[in-house]
Amino acid sequence: MIIAKLVEKIDSFIHQLTEKVSFHGGVHPAQNKLMSTHQPIQTAPFAAQLILPLNQHIGPESVPLVQIGQQVLAGELIARCAPPLGVPLHAPTSGTITDIGDYPIAHASGIYSRCIVLTPDGLNQMASFTPRSIPTSPQSLKAILLHSGIIGMGGAGFPSFRKIANKTGQIHTLIVNGAECEPFITCDDMLMRERPTAIIEGALMVAHALGATRVLVGIEDNKPEAALAMKTVYQHATQYPNIQLDIVPVPTIYPMGGADQLITQLTAKEVPSDGHSSDLGLIMFNVATLAAVYDAVTVGNPVLNRVVTITGFAIEHPCNVLAPIGTPFNHLVTWAGLKQQDAQWLMGGPMMGVPVTNFQSPVIKTTNCILANPPEPEAETLPCIRCGACMDACPIHLLPQQLYWHAKAGELEKLEALHLKDCIECGCCAYVCPSHIPLVQYYRHGKVAVRTANNDKIAAQRAKQRHENQLARKAAEEQERSNRLAAKRAAMMAADEAAQAAEAPKELR
Ligand code: SF4
Ligand code: SF4
């Protein structure tokens, strides 16, 4: 273990001297990846219960279609998507639905979320799947992505069908994200080594459906085995002669796997602050998402499981495991062996991971890693010394130090003016800060405060508009009423005059 750590440190140092990085900033934390790549992807026994959150994606939660006591097969639809933006949920194995209720999930705030609980019967009986035709248009690709419950499995959780442009040819290049820059995490690395055909074929299918002519696969240069496996497979892929695919080694630097950073590295283009990669004719998919696309087409099955890295210095046998969605974290960690009971658990890596407050939290479609490390003494937070190291490290060209001051002071307009919304919460600034200031926490609070204030502003504007509309309506009604009265009065006067004229002596007429 000590030798592995030493090798990684030397590797990181060499990269600092030699790399050609196209984006600003970035850092070189110790990678600690070797410990979990010694063995192939493992299969763990089923947990006693699978806990399936109805909201594993960005968007509204899915709507349950099952009842407590119902028997289901693996792959059976158990929750439909809430239109128009949700994704459906499928049973990861066969068994009985034993509860539908609120359960803890891995989230920064330790919240509970509505879940379907499935007790596996151990038989893993599959619903019947039918292979699909290879998608030939954005619409047919969209339908496959939606019905298979595919979301961005790199961690974003964005429903993949929502990324797809409506017209063929709007996208010219598919970017495949195989960077996996966060320390400790190796699930994408192992997937590329073991299922390169699924990833390459999945990428070519997506590019073909979109009418894209180029595929760029970005893999950090600390994963030579993965890059070689992918290259070997592509040399034999002949089905799409019109698509050019390149496997591009990119420097090992964090956060190379950030969407905008990888795009800049591979294309030398920058996604505008208020724009999308599709504005540049680009779309990005993570390698695990593309493997899911391949399975959805060639086998017809939806997302039932995913590869998760179980790692850290508190884990006896760090490894990667194919975990059914819904598997509780403690089931996997116990299976891999926990050396230290007081270990600190994270879902994700040390830079962007979320602390796990409840060990029963389940694996969801975006869970790439469960990290357990011995507890570390908290470094004392000191005053900012205005050294500027955070500014040098920020890959977005933000001013982290100023953002910190304004977040601390609650100066929301200044936070907006300094583009706080563009912060990807990568943690590079906090990583280099000699004063150990938990900068990202300030930015998260700042973002919530800005969003709340903006929502309040919008609500106040709407209330004002409603009030003004009400006053205008009342005024219009009043005007109409007085017009009606005036008309009535005029009519009565006219009638009176006519009657008086009729009653007057003939000679006066
Ligand atoms: S790195 Fe830390 S101490 Fe240095 S300027 Fe930024 S916030 Fe201040
Ligand atoms: S957390 Fe935000 S401010 Fe800090 S380095 Fe990353 S993008 Fe920049």
Side-chain angles (χ1 to χ4, degrees), residues 12-168:
S12 167
F13 179 67
I14 291 170
H15 276 301
Q16 284 185 37
L17 295 179
T18 58
E19 69 202 9
K20 289 198 174 90
V21 181
S22 301
F23 58 87
H24 177 262
V27 294
H28 292 86
Q31 292 171 39
N32 292 312
K33 287 177 183 271
L34 293 178
M35 65 174 86
S36 58
T37 55
H38 289 306
Q39 45 188 336
I41 297 171
Q42 308 284 303
T43 308
F46 277 109
Q49 280 191 328
L50 301 180
I51 301 160
L52 301 153
L54 289 166
N55 199 349
Q56 307 193 19
H57 51 271
I58 294 173
E61 74 176 28
S62 306
V63 183
L65 293 171
V66 286
Q67 292 175 346
I68 295 171
Q70 190 173 328
Q71 306 285 319
V72 292
L73 295 173
E76 196 173 318
L77 186 66
I78 56 171
R80 70 176 169 78
C81 51
L85 302 175
V87 288
L89 183 63
H90 302 82
T93 185
S94 56
T96 310
I97 303 299
T98 43
D99 196 15
I100 300 173
D102 291 342
Y103 284 81
I105 57 164
H107 190 276
S109 58
I111 54 167
Y112 281 53
S113 179
R114 201 158 164 73
C115 299
I116 295 175
V117 179
L118 168 64
T119 300
D121 58 14
L123 303 172
N124 201 25
Q125 285 181 303
M126 293 280 170
S128 68
F129 302 130
T130 317
R132 295 181 164 94
S133 312
I134 289 175
T136 52
S137 66
Q139 284 69 27
S140 53
L141 175 63
K142 249 184 183 180
I144 291 172
L145 295 171
L146 174 60
H147 296 303
S148 307
I150 297 174
I151 62 173
M153 293 172 83
F158 195 75
S160 300
F161 77 93
R162 285 168 60 186
K163 282 175 138 184
I164 303 299
N166 283 324
K167 285 190 199 145
T168 308

Side-chain angles (χ1 to χ4, degrees), residues 390 393-396 398 400 403 422-430 440 443:
C390 49
C394 179
I396 315 289
L398 297 177
L403 286 172
D422 291 343
C423 166
I424 56 171
E425 298 177 18
C426 64
C428 290
C429 50
V440 182
Y443 307 151

Side-chain angles (χ1 to χ4, degrees), residues 444-462:
R444 283 190 186 133
H445 286 135
K447 279 184 187 176
V448 172
V450 168
R451 212 177 304 132
T452 309
N454 283 343
N455 287 346
D456 288 352
K457 218 184 284 173
I458 291 168
Q461 275 168 354
R462 283 194 186 136

Side-chain angles (χ1 to χ4, degrees), residues 19-24 175 179 216 218-220 248-253 255-270 284:
E19 69 202 9
K20 289 198 174 90
V21 181
S22 301
F23 58 87
H24 177 262
I175 308 279
L216 291 171
I219 303 176
E220 272 193 343
V248 188
V250 294
T252 298
I253 181 170
M256 179 60 82
D260 292 357
Q261 287 66 47
L262 189 58
I263 285 174
T264 303
Q265 184 69 33
L266 292 175
T267 67
K269 290 179 183 161
E270 280 198 21
M284 178 177 284

Side-chain angles (χ1 to χ4, degrees), residues 384-388 390 401 433-435:
C384 170
I385 55 168
R386 298 175 191 270
C387 64
C390 49
Q401 177 202 350
C433 176
S435 297

Side-chain angles (χ1 to χ4, degrees), residues 330-464:
N330 58 357
H331 174 76
L332 294 173
V333 169
T334 307
W335 171 78
L338 184 64
K339 287 194 280 193
Q340 214 169 324
Q341 292 308 316
D342 62 347
Q344 288 172 338
W345 295 25
L346 288 179
M347 181 177 83
M351 300 298 286
M352 292 186 76
V354 176
V356 177
T357 47
N358 191 310
F359 300 156
Q360 277 290 336
S361 303
V363 166
I364 59 172
K365 294 176 186 176
T366 55
T367 307
N368 52 7
C369 179
I370 303 167
L371 176 62
N373 273 327
E376 278 182 13
E378 256 187 45
E380 190 191 350
T381 302
L382 301 169
C384 170
I385 55 168
R386 298 175 191 270
C387 64
C390 49
M391 196 175 72
D392 294 339
C394 179
I396 315 289
H397 285 288
L398 297 177
L399 300 170
Q401 177 202 350
Q402 292 191 30
L403 286 172
Y404 161 61
W405 291 117
H406 296 313
K408 204 171 167 187
E411 293 165 341
L412 304 186
E413 280 175 14
K414 288 184 179 160
L415 288 177
E416 280 195 273
L418 289 171
H419 302 282
L420 175 66
K421 71 172 173 38
D422 291 343
C423 166
I424 56 171
E425 298 177 18
C426 64
C428 290
C429 50
Y431 179 78
V432 296
C433 176
S435 297
H436 307 294
I437 301 170
L439 295 166
V440 182
Q441 286 180 26
Y442 283 97
Y443 307 151
R444 283 190 186 133
H445 286 135
K447 279 184 187 176
V448 172
V450 168
R451 212 177 304 132
T452 309
N454 283 343
N455 287 346
D456 288 352
K457 218 184 284 173
I458 291 168
Q461 275 168 354
R462 283 194 186 136
K464 188 172 169 227

Side-chain angles (χ1 to χ4, degrees), residues 137-216:
S137 66
Q139 284 69 27
S140 53
L141 175 63
K142 249 184 183 180
I144 291 172
L145 295 171
L146 174 60
H147 296 303
S148 307
I150 297 174
I151 62 173
M153 293 172 83
F158 195 75
S160 300
F161 77 93
R162 285 168 60 186
K163 282 175 138 184
I164 303 299
N166 283 324
K167 285 190 199 145
T168 308
Q170 275 181 287
I171 298 295
H172 54 73
T173 303
L174 166 67
I175 308 279
V176 178
N177 193 340
E180 198 171 56
C181 59
E182 175 109 18
F184 285 96
I185 307 177
T186 57
C187 54
D188 286 352
D189 183 359
M190 293 307 293
L191 197 66
M192 286 187 279
R193 293 189 204 192
E194 295 193 19
R195 299 202 64 206
T197 305
I199 298 164
I200 295 283
E201 290 288 332
L204 291 169
M205 282 174 193
V206 169
H208 174 68
L210 298 177
T213 53
R214 188 116 206 256
V215 179
L216 291 171

